[in-house]
Amino acid sequence: MVIYLILIALLGSAAGLEAEKVGIVHMHGFWQAYDEQHHLDFKNFVEEKTGVKVHLIDAFNDLAMPPAESSITPLNVQVPAILKMVKNIAAQYDKIIAVGFSQGGVIWRAMIESWDNHNVDTFISIAAPQSGQAGIPPKYLASLRNLPFVKMAQSQGQTMSEADLKLLPYDPRVQQTFAPSNYYRNPATYQYYMSTEFFPKLNNEAGDAEEKRRQKMNFERLRKLILIGGPDEETIVPWQSEMFGFITADDKIVPMKKTTFYKKNLFGLKTLEKKGAIKKCIKEGLKHNDFPNSSEVLNDCVLPAIQDVLSG
């Protein structure tokens, strides 16, 4: 009888260990594909060092103009489609670690906020504009100018001033065809930003009370939030957006704790910070596309976060 009870206890312990499966789900950024080398480097490094499987999401890849689906597709289309794929992967695990690079980090936050009873333990946000994009990087300008209605206007002799360009991402036609416009948030044109659909709702600045409550509860369900970024970033404006900071209309940097997001605890950022769940990993000397496979980022920021989950 004693031996039988010991065997049952051992089997129970083994079953418990088996249930604690951890997987990593990685979402690429804008103008990228899931199988680009720096994402493959990330996958190979993590799997070799930790033994944890990394799933690179094969969806909305590269850059193609509508109606083709690509990284340019509006986020209100991308998020539910990718979440459906992610839920199928997550069902294989007890806990998952969400990793989002650049636009992929915004997509992951949107998925977490809309996913009731999710099993995301830790969210690793890599060089992602979590507080929005306050400016238009030069490489995005070319894409904006290639939008059909913009090219048509230019062919008719219409020109765009700098002020026009700052308002262009808010145009409903751009919002419906160019994903980065969905998290464009210029502090000098806030009233136009609030007229858009995606980002104000994600940040709980707009929407009905029940939806706000649900999104906040889902975000607060995270055990850890790892924010990775750095001051030599040339794409995210300002780079502090990667740390949930931002900038004023007169170009003054606003740290996370001074933002409205934090002070009003709109979607749970303050809740996570108060329970010690947020870790910022700031790395100098890295350009935007250096972050996913930087050995410094992988060893100092990503690996400790994964080991923390495994040890839990």
Side-chain angles (χ1 to χ4, degrees), residues 114-166:
S114 62
W115 184 1
D116 297 339
N117 300 310
H118 65 74
N119 61 338
V120 181
D121 177 275
T122 295
F123 173 26
I124 302 176
S125 174
I126 304 177
Q130 293 295 355
S131 286
Q133 182 80 317
I136 306 174
K139 67 179 182 180
Y140 288 6
L141 279 175
S143 298
L144 282 171
R145 292 185 190 280
N146 283 327
L147 291 173
F149 77 91
V150 176
K151 291 177 75 174
M152 180 180 294
Q154 291 172 335
S155 70
Q156 295 170 351
Q158 298 181 32
T159 59
M160 286 196 171
S161 66
E162 186 174 335
D164 292 332
L165 286 173
K166 288 182 178 179

Side-chain angles (χ1 to χ4, degrees), residues 90-110:
Q92 306 170 38
Y93 299 101
D94 181 64
K95 301 174 182 176
I96 63 168
I97 299 169
V99 179
F101 169 62
S102 193
Q103 180 174 278
V106 176
I107 290 171
W108 248 121
R109 178 156 76 93

Side-chain angles (χ1 to χ4, degrees), residues 97-297:
I97 299 169
V99 179
F101 169 62
S102 193
Q103 180 174 278
V106 176
I107 290 171
W108 248 121
R109 178 156 76 93
M111 290 194 291
I112 289 167
E113 289 189 20
S114 62
W115 184 1
D116 297 339
N117 300 310
H118 65 74
N119 61 338
V120 181
D121 177 275
T122 295
F123 173 26
I124 302 176
S125 174
I126 304 177
Q130 293 295 355
S131 286
Q133 182 80 317
I136 306 174
K139 67 179 182 180
Y140 288 6
L141 279 175
S143 298
L144 282 171
R145 292 185 190 280
N146 283 327
L147 291 173
F149 77 91
V150 176
K151 291 177 75 174
M152 180 180 294
Q154 291 172 335
S155 70
Q156 295 170 351
Q158 298 181 32
T159 59
M160 286 196 171
S161 66
E162 186 174 335
D164 292 332
L165 286 173
K166 288 182 178 179
L167 293 177
L168 183 59
Y170 299 129
D171 187 300
R173 293 168 295 180
V174 179
Q175 288 281 316
Q176 293 163 16
T177 53
F178 189 66
S181 70
N182 298 155
Y183 44 90
Y184 181 71
R185 184 170 167 254
N186 190 312
T189 53
Y190 190 75
Q191 71 274 25
Y192 294 96
Y193 157 72
M194 285 301 295
S195 71
T196 63
E197 288 289 320
F198 180 79
F199 213 49
K201 287 184 179 178
L202 177 64
N203 296 324
N204 273 352
E205 297 168 284
D208 65 69
E210 174 56 27
E211 186 65 14
K212 288 180 178 180
R213 183 200 66 79
R214 189 174 72 88
Q215 290 189 169
K216 184 177 180 181
M217 179 181 66
N218 290 337
F219 190 71
E220 290 176 339
R221 188 177 171 88
L222 290 171
R223 188 181 66 85
K224 291 289 183 180
L225 171 62
I226 313 298
L227 301 174
I228 302 171
D232 297 303
E233 162 75 64
E234 85 287 10
T235 298
I236 307 304
V237 183
W239 76 266
Q240 287 88 350
S241 179
E242 299 166 342
M243 302 291 130
F244 274 109
F246 209 53
I247 195 170
T248 64
D250 56 353
D251 294 334
K252 292 179 181 177
I253 295 300
V254 183
M256 181 184 78
K257 290 186 179 182
K258 297 292 185 180
T259 63
T260 301
F261 292 170
Y262 180 91
K263 290 191 294 184
K264 292 188 176 181
N265 202 24
L266 290 179
F267 51 86
L269 194 61
K270 186 174 183 177
T271 303
L272 292 186
E273 194 274 334
K274 287 296 183 183
K275 68 179 183 180
I278 299 177
K279 180 180 178 181
K280 297 178 181 179
C281 197
I282 298 172
K283 294 298 177 183
E284 298 180 351
L286 298 177
K287 298 300 183 184
H288 190 65
N289 285 330
D290 294 337
F291 280 93
N293 63 346
S294 159
S295 60
E296 196 177 5
V297 168

